[in-house]
Amino acid sequence: MRKRSDFLAANRGLRVARPGFVLLANPNGGPAGGKGKRFGITVTKKVGNAVIRNRMKRRFRELLRDALPQEGLPDHDHVLIGRDAGIERDFAALRAELSAALERAREGKSDPRRGRRPKRGARGGKPSQAGKSRK
């Protein structure tokens, strides 16, 4: 997957969180669309510098190429979102987590979505002091 719209569409599907990554799985149009099993990888700048992010992407790419043919959901887009814990995680542990996440997605079980954090104050800084008396 290369288009941003595909990644945004995948975000509407199943979400399975693991310590090293979050797996998103979303149907991509079925046999008529002919897209089959596709995957995408994203690692944000919050995780580390470019070297670390690229290392994570290479590891995720290898995991997905190995696991998706046998364990992936047919006619679905699979997206892995990297987490901090996935940086130095053992490859075998990541592989086991991916298998468990794909099994959970195959069963149609999704983890609850985290709610957005409420905005702090008017400009995202400290909470507003309105209504508090100063001494």
Side-chain angles (χ1 to χ4, degrees):
M1 295 175 23
R2 300 233 186 253
K3 294 181 184 176
R4 176 172 163 75
S5 60
D6 291 335
F7 283 86
L8 293 175
N11 203 26
R12 292 190 296 265
L14 293 172
R15 177 185 213 87
V16 182
R18 292 291 173 252
F21 58 85
V22 175
L23 171 71
L24 305 176
N26 191 46
N28 61 16
K35 294 181 182 177
K37 297 175 189 175
R38 300 189 309 168
F39 71 86
I41 299 166
T42 183
V43 183
T44 67
K45 288 184 177 182
K46 293 178 185 178
V47 172
N49 65 21
V51 174
I52 290 171
R53 292 193 310 270
N54 286 329
R55 184 180 304 139
M56 283 187 71
K57 287 190 269 188
R58 284 193 304 270
R59 295 178 83 198
F60 285 166
R61 203 172 298 122
E62 185 59 32
L63 281 170
L64 288 167
R65 285 182 182 151
D66 180 48
L68 283 188
Q70 300 86 13
E71 301 175 37
L73 284 74
D75 297 314
H76 275 67
D77 291 338
H78 305 80
V79 176
L80 281 186
I81 302 172
R83 285 183 156 181
D84 280 334
I87 295 171
E88 296 299 327
R89 201 156 184 83
D90 183 48
F91 193 78
L94 283 173
R95 179 66 174 95
E97 289 174 3
L98 181 59
S99 292
L102 287 168
E103 178 62 33
R104 189 164 166 86
R106 199 175 303 108
E107 294 170 357
K109 296 180 180 175
S110 182
D111 293 339
R113 294 187 184 274
R114 291 190 329 189
R116 291 215 181 255
R117 293 184 196 156
K119 288 188 178 180
R120 296 178 57 178
R123 292 184 224 150
K126 292 183 179 180
S128 174
Q129 296 294 322
K132 292 187 178 180
S133 63
R134 293 187 178 181
K135 293 183 179 180

